């Protein structure tokens, strides 16, 4: 049995999609600018969050109810932005090609959006058959259900899983699931206190090796 299973978030972790996803809100709801809402603020507010909660917060900001077709229109606009602009995060293809531990994706997005993002960025072949969506499981971060489902599907105990996330809610879901969290933040943001911070995907194999060594040392102390 492999020592670790790596569970990747998608948006902002494997693909550079956070800006595009939030730009879509500004494109479809230009009145947000009149409330002083910027793209950077939206990224910080909505990173990793469930769509229903985002819609509710947008309605609070705007003081109105969004029309019933807003979410489908949003999904369509995001798909267009992905098809023209989406790129993998720096170093991700090279990092995935080096990984020896089994790995998968567990994302809060719908399955179609996940597959579109992976296809556009040329990453789909790394994850075929190992893609888990909150919409299929019915559990959204920070609830641990999605990560626990992924671990079970991958045949790995939670304590031997490493979650790679960018969002605080994702780190909180990993914590609730009893999993080790690595938080990828290439900018200057502070890490969640539960997570180990890193800012370069080329460092991930080394961090995973360190985690394996830690688990082995702990097992040695228990024996």
């Amino acid at each position: 049995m492999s020592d670790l299973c790596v569970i990747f978030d998608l948006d902002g972790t494997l693909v550079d999609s956070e800006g595009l996803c939030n730009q879509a809100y500004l494109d479809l709801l230009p009145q947000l600018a009149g409330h002083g809402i910027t793209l950077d603020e939206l990224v910080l507010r909505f990173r990793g969050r469930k769509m229903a909660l985002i819609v509710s917060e947008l309605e609070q900001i705007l003081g109105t109810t969004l029309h019933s077709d807003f979410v489908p229109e949003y999904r369509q606009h995001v798909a267009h932005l992905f098809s023209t602009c989406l790129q993998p995060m720096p170093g991700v293809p090279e990092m995935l090609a080096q990984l020896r531990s089994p790995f998968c994706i567990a994302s809060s997005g719908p399955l179609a959006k996940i597959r579109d993002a992976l296809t556009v960025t040329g990453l789909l072949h790394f994850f075929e058959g190992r893609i888990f969506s909150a919409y299929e499981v019915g559990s959204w971060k920070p609830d641990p259900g999605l990560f626990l489902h992924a671990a079970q599907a991958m045949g790995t105990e939670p304590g031997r899983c490493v979650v790679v996330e960018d969002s605080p809610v994702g780190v909180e879901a990993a914590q609730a699931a009893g999993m080790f969290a690595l938080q990828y933040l290439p900018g200057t943001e502070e890490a969640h206190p539960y997570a180990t911070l890193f800012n370069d995907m080329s460092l991930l194999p080394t961090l995973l090796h360190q985690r394996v060594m830690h688990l082995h040392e702990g097992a040695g102390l228990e024996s």
Side-chain angles (χ1 to χ4, degrees), residues 165-216:
E165 268 280 357
D166 70 316
S167 70
V169 293
V171 173
E172 289 162 14
Q175 181 179 20
M179 300 177 181
F180 184 75
L182 293 171
Q183 190 171 14
Y184 174 66
L185 292 174
T188 58
E189 299 170 62
E190 292 187 5
H192 189 283
Y194 179 76
T196 297
L197 176 68
F198 74 112
N199 61 8
D200 185 335
M201 279 294 173
S202 69
L203 300 175
L204 185 58
T206 298
L207 292 169
L208 295 175
H209 178 72
Q210 291 173 353
R211 180 60 179 168
V212 169
M213 293 299 98
H214 176 78
L215 290 174
H216 283 173

Side-chain angles (χ1 to χ4, degrees), residues 25 28-32 46 51-71 73-74:
Y25 296 124
L28 296 177
L29 301 170
Q31 59 269 43
L32 285 170
F46 296 155
M51 174 59 74
L53 297 178
I54 293 173
V55 169
S56 177
E57 190 162 335
L58 288 170
E59 291 177 336
Q60 291 179 20
I61 293 170
L62 298 174
T64 187
T65 301
L66 298 179
H67 59 83
S68 59
D69 291 332
F70 174 76
V71 172
E73 289 180 4
Y74 169 79

